Amino acid sequence: SKNQYWFQTFPFSFRKRADSQFVWDTINKISWNDMEVLDIGCHYGFFSFKASEHGASVVGMDINKNSLSVAQTIQDHIIQQDVDFCSTFPNQQFDVILYLSVHHQIDSSYESLESSISRLKQKIRKHLFIELIMPPLFPERSSLTELDIDKIVGGRVLARYKHTVRGNRKIYWIEV
């Protein structure tokens, strides 16, 4: 663990790089038991494992195959949960979707934020948790204000905080 780069901060991480436990504590507002959960951009699986530990059936999705390989290693040798990791978006609905600190990696100006959120809302049966950097990483390429982003996302703001590594963040909760 000491020689491994862990962006998500697990209990066994040598150095804290991310606010993983804070984000989990912020979104842990529901009963996860028997929920079908999709963790988009799961990275090393921190939130996938947490939801699984709390009784959810979880699909952790990431396009980065190296991240998925590390997540699988953590699952096989350390945390030992039953998470199904994949690299393509499943074509089904889920009770809960986690979209945590993902959007800025695919759309740094938030130009497609509205359409992305709309598509996600169509895929959920109960809850959607979203974490976004505020303002977008490249505000010079975006005319969106934080209020604009709040209106696009909708739902309830659970937290606004300064991330350990990068930017101010906001966590939203949308219930259907």
Side-chain angles (χ1 to χ4, degrees):
S1 174
K2 186 176 181 179
N3 297 323
Q4 174 68 39
Y5 172 83
W6 306 102
F7 183 77
Q8 292 175 322
T9 303
F10 290 92
F12 52 84
S13 300
F14 182 71
R15 181 172 162 216
K16 182 179 178 186
R17 295 186 192 278
D19 305 289
S20 307
Q21 189 62 49
F22 170 79
V23 173
W24 174 255
D25 291 343
T26 301
I27 68 171
N28 190 16
K29 307 287 184 210
I30 63 173
S31 170
W32 298 88
N33 198 39
D34 296 326
M35 292 286 194
E36 292 181 355
V37 175
L38 174 62
D39 182 5
I40 298 173
C42 68
H43 195 54
Y44 294 166
F46 181 89
F47 302 107
S48 297
F49 295 133
K50 285 293 195 182
S52 180
E53 287 171 12
H54 284 81
S57 172
V58 182
V59 174
M61 192 213 68
D62 204 300
I63 60 170
N64 184 321
K65 294 196 188 320
N66 182 59
S67 292
L68 291 177
S69 175
V70 172
Q72 191 65 53
T73 298
I74 292 170
Q75 176 166 264
D76 292 346
H77 301 287
I78 301 171
I79 294 184
Q80 299 176 340
Q81 288 296 314
D82 191 22
V83 175
D84 180 20
F85 292 107
C86 67
S87 60
T88 57
F89 199 96
N91 192 21
Q92 67 192 71
Q93 281 196 314
F94 290 85
D95 296 313
V96 181
I97 293 180
L98 306 177
Y99 191 63
L100 305 172
S101 193
V102 174
H103 195 81
H104 67 274
Q105 296 180 40
I106 56 174
D107 175 26
S108 60
S109 67
Y110 291 6
E111 188 175 294
S112 67
L113 180 63
E114 190 167 7
S115 61
S116 295
I117 299 300
S118 178
R119 280 192 305 275
L120 291 173
K121 287 179 179 177
Q122 293 172 11
K123 291 285 192 178
I124 60 167
R125 290 190 287 261
K126 297 181 181 182
H127 307 281
L128 172 58
F129 293 99
I130 301 167
E131 179 186 16
L132 296 171
I133 292 178
M134 294 292 172
L137 274 179
F138 298 98
E140 65 276 5
R141 290 190 264 162
S142 176
S143 61
L144 292 175
T145 67
E146 194 167 324
L147 273 174
D148 294 331
I149 293 168
D150 288 348
K151 287 178 187 172
I152 288 169
V153 175
R156 195 167 28 167
V157 174
L158 294 177
R160 188 181 202 291
Y161 72 102
K162 171 79 171 106
H163 190 272
T164 303
V165 175
R166 186 180 336 139
N168 291 310
R169 310 274 175 122
K170 215 177 234 190
I171 302 172
Y172 299 87
W173 179 13
I174 298 167
E175 294 181 89
V176 176

